Amino acid sequence: MPPKKKPQVTAAPARRRELLDTAAEVFAEQGYNATTVRKIADHAGMLAGSLYYHFDSKESMLEEILRTFMDELWDGYDTVLEAELGPRETLEALVTESFREIDRHRAAVAIYQRESKHLVAQERFAFLAESQRKFEKTWLATLERGVAGEVFRDDLDIRLTYRFVRDTVWVAASWYRPGGQHSPEEIARQYLSMVLDGIAVRT
């Protein structure tokens, strides 16, 4: 039998990714409601009608942007959790993975922070609420495990600590720019030093 021909690889998936990256930047900069398909098409250098060849609506684009971000975030988090590290090491790895995701999906993170409160009520975006619940459970469990194992202080308000860590990590999307002076790993290292060891000189 003659060897099977390899399937032809087209540029469509790469172009689709390119268009989603463009849409994410426009959504992050102008807001979802203020962004039209025409605006996205203009930034992509194409006609609005041509954009519909790839996506049936701007809502479909937003869903794919956020799902891709969430899927990659949880791939990274699940790898950390499956390693069964100690609570401090788990916290460090989760923070580092979070900064890596901000590096990969800065615009998607900005969109999520700006739009998620309005989106979670829609059935199409129910996956965001589920991710929020899973996220909170993961971080609270790590902190609780650290307190129980006498790795973290026993006077911590666990929920307040969780909110502080969560907010100070993800707000970085508002100023972080990929390819800047510091790598995501270096930012995570500095951040963890402040969170875990404080900023005062130790005597």
Side-chain angles (χ1 to χ4, degrees), residues 54-174:
H54 299 275
F55 305 96
D56 61 13
S57 65
K58 70 171 188 174
E59 189 177 48
S60 294
M61 300 183 80
L62 180 63
E63 180 182 3
E64 190 163 340
I65 289 165
L66 293 176
R67 279 192 183 277
T68 299
F69 160 54
M70 288 295 175
D71 287 347
E72 290 192 17
L73 175 68
W74 281 106
D75 282 347
Y77 276 12
D78 288 341
T79 298
V80 170
L81 299 174
E82 288 165 7
E84 298 183 345
L85 304 170
R88 178 172 176 136
E89 292 76 17
T90 297
L91 180 67
E92 290 172 340
L94 290 173
V95 166
T96 301
E97 187 59 38
S98 298
F99 279 110
R100 286 175 180 153
E101 290 305 318
I102 292 172
D103 180 66
R104 297 185 190 111
H105 298 286
R106 184 202 61 79
V109 174
I111 295 166
Y112 175 83
Q113 290 178 328
R114 183 173 183 171
E115 310 288 352
S116 62
K117 286 183 180 179
H118 308 292
L119 294 173
V120 292
Q122 302 178 35
E123 185 176 351
R124 182 168 192 163
F125 294 96
F127 67 92
L128 295 177
E130 177 58 32
S131 181
Q132 288 172 356
R133 288 189 290 270
K134 186 178 176 184
F135 185 93
E136 180 174 325
K137 182 179 179 181
T138 295
W139 285 81
L140 287 175
T142 301
L143 291 168
E144 288 168 352
R145 192 158 58 94
V147 171
E150 300 182 351
V151 175
F152 303 143
R153 295 192 339 243
D154 62 5
D155 63 333
L156 289 179
D157 181 315
I158 296 297
R159 190 162 292 276
L160 184 61
T161 303
Y162 154 69
R163 288 173 176 164
F164 170 77
V165 173
R166 177 197 65 192
D167 293 349
T168 48
V169 167
W170 293 104
V171 76
S174 66

Side-chain angles (χ1 to χ4, degrees), residues 88 91-96 99 165 185-198:
R88 178 172 176 136
L91 180 67
E92 290 172 340
L94 290 173
V95 166
T96 301
F99 279 110
V165 173
E185 290 79 11
E186 173 61 17
I187 294 173
R189 188 185 69 79
Q190 291 281 347
Y191 174 86
L192 285 162
S193 175
M194 289 184 281
V195 168
L196 296 172
D197 302 318

Side-chain angles (χ1 to χ4, degrees), residues 23-32 35 40 58 62 65 111:
E25 291 295 338
V26 180
F27 286 145
E29 180 182 341
Q30 300 187 14
Y32 176 68
T35 299
I40 297 170
K58 70 171 188 174
L62 180 63
I65 289 165
I111 295 166

